[in-house]
Amino acid sequence: MIKLITVIGARPQFIKAAVVSRYIRDYHSSDIKEIIVHTGQHYDANMSDIFFDQMDIPKPDYFLGINGMGHGAMTGQMIEKIETVLLQEKPDWVLVYGDTNSTLAGALAAKKLHIKLAHVEAGLRSFNMEMPEEINRILTDRISDILFCPTDQAIKNLKKEGYQNINAKIIKSGDVMQDAALYYATKSQSPNIEVPPNFILCTIHRAENTDNLNKLQSIFSALSEISKQHQIILPIHPRTKTIILKNNIKFDKSSIHIIEPVGYLEMIYLLKNCNYVMTDSGGLQKEAFFFEKKCLTLRDETEWVELVQNSFNIIVGSNKDKIIEGNNELQQLTPNFKIDLYGLGMAGKNIIKELLQY
Ligand code: UDP
């Protein structure tokens, strides 16, 4: 029996871990014992608890309660507390997801204790070293024993960085987020709001947008313009909400409907029913594709380049004119959504198979 510690802490990690955790419970409960460590990076009811409830993720075995501080203090305290758990539990594997401070802390704590490390969502690159996520993912990849890559591009990125000469196994697993989207598609729940016809589903939370007031104002000014055509529903990330309120960012409140963050099942409902998506989220760009919706990405680059190459997604950054121009261009695109970019829901199975065979 393998003892596996899963380290998670932020919203997208709950969604990704739900897939693998369910696969273990359904098919390999006698082969793998999973212990869940929740760092506490996201901890409020609507950023954390709701995902554990809706997605049947087992209650974390350890809750470290670390949040709301700078990168250094947060990552440092996480490493210290995760190390204590690892020394106590002595797992065979540590499994980390994505690119947050919880990912990096879990990776460093494991590797320094010579515990095998697996990284889900390995090989992604934005090539923007100002993104904290880019730093976290590069460092985590470099010390992982198995790199579970969601896409061909992720594998290419690792090869370009010389990973064929590093003693690590590179596996194309597919993307666990597609597993989640397929599994929960029929379980979607309407959020408790009035949903306008043909609305745009929008989220904004990347530090590069929220921490630069000019960019944030420019985005909201573009949204106000675009919302004259299609009203916008915007479940707001707590960080973005704080900054908007503090700085009195202006936008058209009659056609941009800001709501509290919703659960995953409500998000699926909004994805199914929207006209298209505008976001700076990583995960939501792909979810738009899973539900056959086009996406305008409010960043200067994306890790999910296959979406852009196949005309599902246009990168527009944060400049008002560029966003409006891109929005017009998006209306003209008629891509064929019936292609396999992310593994068609087999990622959870592939990940567990590899861990068992290693
Ligand atoms: N999400 C959600 N409720 C919301 C906003 C987002 O369930 O109110 C989901 C979204 O559908 C996706 C994930 O959270 O599955 C993406 O997380 P986020 O955008 O915070 O992180 P990123 O993907 O950019 O790392």
Side-chain angles (χ1 to χ4, degrees):
M1 156 104 61
I2 290 178
K3 195 172 188 183
L4 170 79
I5 291 205
T6 297
V7 178
I8 48 182
R11 175 169 65 187
Q13 290 167 331
F14 308 141
I15 294 162
K16 293 163 196 168
V19 167
V20 176
S21 189
R22 184 166 10 82
Y23 195 79
I24 293 173
R25 272 174 287 135
D26 286 354
Y27 299 104
H28 290 286
S29 54
S30 53
D31 306 320
I32 299 180
K33 177 175 167 54
E34 184 188 31
I35 293 168
I36 298 180
V37 177
H38 183 329
T39 62
Q41 192 173 341
H42 286 163
Y43 59 95
D44 8 8
N46 59 12
M47 293 292 284
S48 175
D49 298 355
I50 192 166
F51 296 95
F52 284 81
D53 293 344
Q54 288 189 341
M55 305 183 85
D56 290 327
I57 309 169
K59 199 170 158 335
D61 300 275
Y62 294 89
F63 182 77
L64 307 183
I66 302 162
N67 51 64
M69 42 188 113
H71 285 286
M74 191 197 288
T75 313
Q77 288 191 22
M78 284 177 184
I79 295 173
E80 187 181 355
K81 290 200 181 173
I82 294 168
E83 185 179 72
T84 306
V85 174
L86 298 183
L87 286 169
Q88 199 174 315
E89 293 287 350
K90 300 187 176 41
D92 302 293
W93 282 95
V94 167
L95 183 60
V96 294
Y97 292 85
D99 53 24
T100 71
N101 289 341
S102 303
T103 315
L104 179 62
L108 283 171
K111 207 57 196 169
K112 295 257 173 120
L113 292 173
H114 309 145
I115 297 166
K116 289 195 288 294
L117 174 66
H119 184 203
V120 174
E121 237 183 44
L124 295 180
R125 297 290 181 265
S126 65
F127 302 101
N128 176 355
M129 286 303 284
E130 289 190 5
M131 282 179 79
E133 294 90 342
E134 183 77 351
I135 299 165
N136 292 339
R137 54 172 90 100
I138 289 175
L139 297 177
T140 302
D141 280 348
R142 184 59 188 82
I143 57 175
S144 293
D145 296 280
I146 302 191
L147 297 134
F148 289 115
C149 297
T151 57
D152 290 329
Q153 183 63 43
I155 293 193
K156 271 191 211 156
N157 291 341
L158 292 180
K159 295 212 162 132
K160 250 196 220 151
E161 290 174 23
Y163 272 70
Q164 62 272 38
N165 304 319
I166 288 173
N167 191 17
K169 204 163 178 194
I170 298 177
I171 302 292
K172 186 178 167 201
S173 56
D175 191 333
V176 284
M177 290 197 80
Q178 186 162 30
D179 296 36
L182 288 168
Y183 183 83
Y184 292 97
T186 55
K187 303 180 191 325
S188 64
Q189 275 175 20
S190 166
N192 214 1
I193 53 162
E194 208 175 302
V195 174
N198 272 327
F199 69 94
I200 300 170
L201 175 61
C202 178
T203 70
I204 298 162
H205 75 285
R206 282 262 97 69
E208 70 209 49
N209 287 329
T210 57
D211 296 359
N212 181 325
L213 285 184
N214 287 336
K215 283 189 176 185
L216 198 58
Q217 183 62 71
S218 164
I219 289 174
F220 271 93
S221 179
L223 293 183
S224 296
E225 194 66 35
I226 291 168
S227 70
K228 288 179 189 151
Q229 247 105 53
H230 301 289
Q231 295 192 40
I232 295 176
I233 296 185
L234 198 163
I236 197 147
H237 192 283
R239 180 173 56 210
T240 317
K241 182 180 179 182
T242 309
I243 294 172
I244 286 181
L245 289 176
K246 195 168 149 216
N247 297 285
N248 196 19
I249 299 281
K250 301 265 185 303
F251 60 91
D252 185 344
K253 295 197 173 88
S254 65
S255 50
I256 301 178
H257 309 282
I258 298 217
I259 59 173
E260 288 301 309
V262 295
Y264 186 68
L265 301 183
E266 288 81 5
M267 203 60 185
I268 300 282
Y269 179 94
L270 293 171
L271 276 158
K272 279 184 179 172
N273 289 287
C274 70
N275 186 341
Y276 57 99
V277 171
M278 292 176 70
T279 191
D280 61 7
S281 159
L284 201 59
Q285 292 175 55
K286 287 173 293 164
E287 287 171 332
F289 166 75
F290 300 150
F291 291 94
E292 306 197 353
K293 303 296 158 97
K294 293 181 279 187
C295 180
L296 207 59
T297 296
L298 303 164
R299 289 177 49 195
D300 293 325
E301 69 281 307
T302 181
E303 299 77 17
W304 307 102
V305 290
E306 56 287 330
L307 293 173
V308 178
Q309 287 156 359
N310 290 289
S311 303
F312 300 115
N313 188 323
I314 298 181
I315 303 290
V316 289
S318 54
N319 174 280
K320 180 180 175 183
D321 294 340
K322 284 221 172 110
I323 296 173
I324 292 173
E325 205 179 294
N327 183 63
N328 293 335
E329 242 179 85
L330 194 79
Q331 315 302 320
Q332 311 308 319
L333 297 180
T334 51
N336 172 14
F337 284 97
K338 307 284 179 228
I339 62 170
D340 171 16
L341 297 175
Y342 298 104
L344 302 178
M346 302 303 284
K349 184 177 181 187
N350 292 336
I351 288 166
I352 293 306
K353 186 172 137 227
E354 278 303 325
L355 285 175
L356 288 171
Q357 279 176 2
Y358 188 88

